[in-house]
Amino acid sequence: MRHFIDLSEWSSDELRHLIDLAVQLKQEWKSGGNPPILAGKALAMVFQKPSLRTRVSFEMCMQHLGGHALMIGPDEIGLGKRESIADVARVLSRYVQGIMARVFAHDHVVQLAVHASVPVINGLSDDQHPCQAMADLLTIYEHYGRTEGLRVVYVGDGNNVAASLGQVAAHFGMSFATATPPGFELSEAMLSPIRALASQHGGAVETFHDPLEAVRGADVIYTDTWVSMGQEVDAARKIEALRPYQVNAQLLANVGKPAIVMHCLPAHRGLELTDDVADGPQSVIFDQAENRLHAQKAILVHLMA
Ligand code: CP
Ligand code: NVA
């Protein structure tokens, strides 16, 4: 049984195939619609955290492909509380043909996959956001017409989105850099396989503390919230430390080329990025949001058709 939980479990060729499929499904959708490839199939969407894009895009993916999506909110099944994660996985597997889950502990989505007999998709965990990274890759590819040799710089908190972005960059021959305050870096456990994969594909991985130095020569500047879901108790400390890492006009002026600006959203305008940048000509943030639809259709078709 194949799952989509962590991009390190997929080969670069497989991910390339998924992106090709996403491009094809997007073209098809734009020129009249997709055939009902998932007719008669249902996806359970388990959410332990709030969501706009993940929830709506997955539901629309299933609808466009002739299938059905079922929303299960945080108060409904009590994942691991009312019932064990293993039993939730076993029961859902008798009703639906796929499970997408947004969880806190990464191990919870792993445990769902261990005990499910249908494919499980990670719709964000505390450690990773692989579906976002695939939509981001599609967005970068559409903008530049290639990925090899591009330089992607992630500015801000070394979080789940940064981790999956680094993985996808390495798979697709891009160089990846982070600019974080000391103590906010991606873990070495996360970075070292990314480094190994990047070097196989001709990319490099660098870590900086100085954002102005990091962004020089970037093709892509990426940022995300300074306070991820579940970290609210630590918000004041994180915001204070991350203030010098705002993506604003001054930072963009330091790049030396017209990099695109990316953010997975939701954005906290005035914190991690300014309004003028979010709404400016270099921003592709809403293309990224749209591409969730197309990238996830490819994942669903690959796993469930
Ligand atoms: N980018 C993203 O995953 O958005 P949501 O949290 O709204 O799903
Ligand atoms: N890093 C953010 C991403 C939200 C889509 C979080 O985990 O809350």
Side-chain angles (χ1 to χ4, degrees):
M1 179 60 53
R2 206 69 207 276
H3 305 287
F4 196 81
I5 290 182
D6 180 333
L7 294 176
S8 71
E9 296 161 353
W10 288 68
S11 74
S12 305
D13 283 346
E14 287 173 319
L15 295 181
R16 247 165 237 286
H17 164 75
L18 286 181
I19 291 296
D20 290 344
L21 185 57
V23 168
Q24 181 197 320
L25 289 163
K26 181 170 182 176
Q27 271 165 6
E28 205 171 70
W29 171 248
K30 300 268 175 187
S31 51
N34 302 121
I37 308 171
L38 297 181
K41 307 226 163 147
L43 178 75
M45 307 191 297
V46 176
F47 281 94
Q48 302 290 103
K49 295 174 176 172
S51 169
L52 168 61
R53 280 144 291 272
T54 305
R55 190 250 152 103
V56 178
S57 61
F58 267 106
E59 185 158 344
M60 289 301 107
C61 285
M62 289 305 289
Q63 187 174 315
H64 294 174
L65 294 167
H68 182 75
L70 183 72
M71 168 73 182
I72 305 170
D75 300 327
E76 294 180 62
I77 57 174
L79 189 69
K81 295 193 183 90
R82 180 171 183 266
E83 197 162 357
S84 75
I85 293 177
D87 283 356
V88 168
R90 292 177 184 122
V91 171
L92 282 177
S93 299
R94 301 290 180 108
Y95 298 136
V96 298
Q97 289 68 45
I99 300 169
M100 187 277 292
R102 166 167 287 194
V103 298
F104 288 94
H106 184 74
D107 187 55
H108 289 179
V109 69
V110 172
Q111 287 307 312
L112 275 175
V114 166
H115 298 285
S117 52
V118 299
V120 173
I121 298 170
N122 180 1
L124 179 143
S125 69
D126 285 349
D127 296 356
Q128 314 224 351
H129 200 358
C131 296
Q132 180 69 51
M134 292 300 281
D136 297 339
L137 192 282
L138 178 59
T139 309
I140 294 168
Y141 176 68
E142 286 176 340
H143 187 86
Y144 286 107
R146 68 187 166 98
T147 58
E148 278 81 8
L150 297 178
R151 173 172 163 79
V152 179
V153 182
Y154 177 92
V155 181
D157 182 30
N159 63 14
N160 44 9
V161 168
S164 295
L165 181 69
Q167 289 179 321
V168 88
H171 273 298
F172 284 82
M174 298 187 271
S175 284
F176 178 65
T178 59
T180 67
F184 291 75
E185 300 89 352
L186 282 171
S187 69
E188 210 29 59
M190 182 56 74
L191 274 178
S192 108
I194 294 176
R195 255 192 218 105
L197 185 62
S199 72
Q200 277 174 37
H201 292 281
V205 174
E206 292 174 289
T207 55
F208 295 86
H209 291 139
D210 179 356
L212 293 177
E213 190 189 345
V215 299
R216 249 171 245 139
D219 301 290
V220 176
I221 308 284
Y222 201 117
T223 192
D224 181 21
T225 182
W226 292 340
V227 185
S228 285
M229 291 179 277
Q231 302 179 340
E232 292 78 8
V233 288
D234 204 17
R237 182 186 73 92
K238 296 197 79 175
I239 291 171
E240 217 27 59
L242 282 150
R243 263 188 215 289
Y245 294 79
Q246 184 182 68
V247 175
N248 54 31
Q250 193 202 338
L251 188 76
L252 292 192
N254 229 64
V255 177
K257 54 208 276 206
I260 55 172
V261 175
M262 303 184 77
H263 191 308
C264 59
L265 305 179
H268 305 79
R269 290 161 175 261
L271 291 178
E272 72 269 10
L273 90 170
T274 53
D275 276 327
D276 57 323
V277 169
D279 301 323
Q282 290 166 252
S283 168
V284 296
I285 61 179
F286 298 111
D287 297 330
Q288 289 174 259
E290 179 188 330
N291 279 336
R292 294 292 299 276
L293 196 61
H294 311 299
Q296 289 162 193
K297 277 184 193 174
I299 296 164
L300 291 165
V301 167
H302 188 84
L303 293 178
M304 289 171 68

